[in-house]
Amino acid sequence: MTGVQLQFSNTYHLLVHPGVEVIEKAGGLHKYMNRKGPIITDSGGFQVFSLNNITSEDGPELKQKKKRNTDDAGGGSLLKVSEEGTIFRSYYNGKKIELTPESTVQAQKKIGGDIIIPLDELPPYHVTPERLKASVFLSHRWMARSLQEHLKDPRQQAMYAVVHGGTDKELRKHSLDYLSSLPFDGFAIGGSLGKDREEMVEMLGWLMPQVPDNRPNHILGIADPESIEALVPFGCDTFDACNPTRVARHGTLMTTDGQIRITQKIHLDDFGPIDPKLETIPYSRAYLHHLFKQNEPLFLSLASLHNLYFMNNLMKVQREKIMRNEI
């Protein structure tokens, strides 16, 4: 509907509910939700490590995630991290769930994604060099085990390695060189990429020219308009993030002339389209304003759909610029 070419689905949440056995019984995730296009699934590692307690080492994204997981509404908890893998408590029913490199691959086989991601550890931004190095090496061992498990039964699925190293360029290069030596089908760029967009762009501007161009790549968790326009020229292929739908649910709509706050009274009798320069949902700003003010659940879906239309049009524009050699 909105032009999404590659849909990202979250293994952690699917493990918690409805459970991978239900999805397998349905015939896989494509049939379960009637998705005809390709799907990429993650290992669930980011969500699991975001369950850990907030520390001074965490960057802003993990702090925000952890706060949501530990508020009065309850949440899961990370119980153990070891060489074998992780154990966490479900936010849904309190059940203990073990994630190992092998079990996350097995789960993603049952889910049936087209591209799967191996288990990796997510260290915080302000971590010591020693802790960061240990984390990168642990992730490498986990990913090697994941790849071995995957190759037992490929099922026409592709597996992307996750390049780690935080903002340490030497570790990033080591991670890329090691993972490039293994038969992964592509690369995902993960871990902390910096404290802000400027540091992230500088890091990826240095890293991406070294990523083998004969295999596709994916930028994990980054997909705001400004970042996409900055990163596509570096050769970044695909992106994912909850940002467009998250800000939509809180009343921010993306348009070709910039963001608008649909919550503002100025939109009470604004009967024009949300974005006159974009083919999007056929509703006025006034209607969306009304739905938000009345706490109508329909607003959440319509606003999210609009922002997805906007983001996919943005990517379409980037592809057209590439074809015209403007990027």
Side-chain angles (χ1 to χ4, degrees):
M1 179 189 294
T2 62
V4 173
Q5 293 189 339
L6 176 63
Q7 179 173 310
F8 201 102
S9 294
N10 190 291
T11 298
Y12 166 79
H13 292 298
L14 295 174
L15 275 169
V16 170
H17 193 276
V20 295
E21 292 76 14
V22 172
I23 296 171
E24 183 181 35
K25 187 177 180 180
L29 194 56
H30 291 80
K31 290 185 177 179
Y32 183 67
M33 60 182 181
N34 195 28
R35 165 74 177 168
K36 294 180 173 58
I39 295 172
I40 180 172
T41 54
D42 65 352
S43 68
F46 173 81
Q47 284 72 30
V48 169
F49 288 105
S50 72
L51 296 174
N52 204 0
N53 294 327
I54 297 174
T55 73
S56 60
E57 293 183 335
D58 289 319
E61 185 175 5
L62 269 184
K63 282 184 177 178
Q64 184 180 39
K65 182 80 174 178
K66 291 178 180 182
K67 184 177 181 181
R68 290 198 299 270
N69 286 332
T70 56
D71 64 13
D72 293 338
S77 57
L78 177 62
L79 302 178
K80 182 180 179 182
V81 180
S82 68
E83 185 69 36
E84 184 59 24
T86 72
I87 299 175
F88 68 95
R89 191 179 303 280
S90 165
Y91 63 82
Y92 178 68
N93 57 13
K95 179 182 177 182
K96 288 184 180 180
I97 300 177
E98 182 177 18
L99 274 184
T100 68
E102 293 78 15
S103 70
T104 59
V105 171
Q106 293 159 7
Q108 291 178 86
K109 296 292 178 186
K110 293 177 181 178
I111 291 170
D114 300 285
I115 300 170
I116 62 178
I117 303 292
L119 184 65
D120 58 330
E121 186 184 26
L122 182 66
Y125 172 69
H126 296 291
V127 72
T128 64
E130 294 77 17
R131 175 69 183 87
L132 179 61
K133 184 176 181 180
S135 175
V136 170
F137 287 3
L138 175 63
S139 288
H140 286 176
R141 295 192 295 273
W142 281 357
M143 283 188 273
R145 286 165 55 190
S146 296
L147 179 62
Q148 187 176 28
E149 183 70 18
H150 164 62
L151 292 176
K152 293 178 183 177
D153 183 19
R155 299 192 191 185
Q156 294 186 313
Q157 292 174 305
M159 177 176 275
Y160 283 14
V162 183
V163 179
H164 273 282
T167 56
D168 185 314
K169 290 182 178 179
E170 184 177 340
L171 270 179
R172 281 281 176 187
K173 185 64 167 64
H174 172 80
S175 183
L176 179 61
D177 289 346
Y178 171 71
L179 296 171
S180 299
S181 72
L182 300 177
F184 285 102
D185 300 292
F187 301 96
I189 311 300
S192 175
L193 292 168
K195 64 181 181 296
D196 52 30
R197 184 182 296 117
E198 182 180 358
E199 189 172 10
M200 175 195 68
V201 170
E202 193 279 329
M203 167 58 71
L204 290 177
W206 171 84
L207 178 66
M208 295 309 298
Q210 304 176 70
V211 177
D213 60 8
N214 62 343
R215 287 182 264 183
N217 66 73
H218 181 85
I219 309 301
L220 287 165
I222 304 294
D224 60 279
E226 295 80 8
S227 295
I228 284 176
E229 292 177 331
L231 298 179
V232 166
F234 298 152
C236 301
D237 294 326
T238 54
F239 304 82
D240 78 88
C242 62
N243 174 264
T245 52
R246 183 176 64 229
V247 299
R249 294 193 300 272
H250 291 278
T252 297
L253 302 182
M254 300 172 173
T255 78
T256 50
D257 292 323
Q259 294 184 348
I260 64 171
R261 289 290 295 164
I262 203 65
T263 59
Q264 295 176 339
K265 190 175 181 179
I266 190 176
H267 301 299
L268 176 66
D269 57 357
D270 184 351
F271 304 115
I274 298 172
D275 186 343
K277 301 176 183 177
L278 176 69
E279 183 178 344
T280 181
I281 58 174
Y283 302 103
S284 69
R285 295 183 182 188
Y287 182 56
L288 269 290
H289 173 83
H290 162 71
L291 292 178
F292 184 90
K293 288 298 185 179
Q294 293 302 306
N295 296 314
E296 290 285 356
L298 178 59
F299 171 82
L300 306 177
S301 296
L302 292 182
S304 295
L305 280 172
H306 166 75
N307 279 1
L308 290 176
Y309 270 112
F310 174 86
M311 292 301 300
N312 283 289
N313 182 72
L314 176 65
M315 292 304 299
K316 177 175 177 287
V317 170
Q318 299 303 304
R319 291 191 294 271
E320 291 171 348
K321 287 182 177 181
I322 291 172
M323 296 305 293
R324 295 194 300 265
N325 292 319
E326 295 175 6
I327 295 179

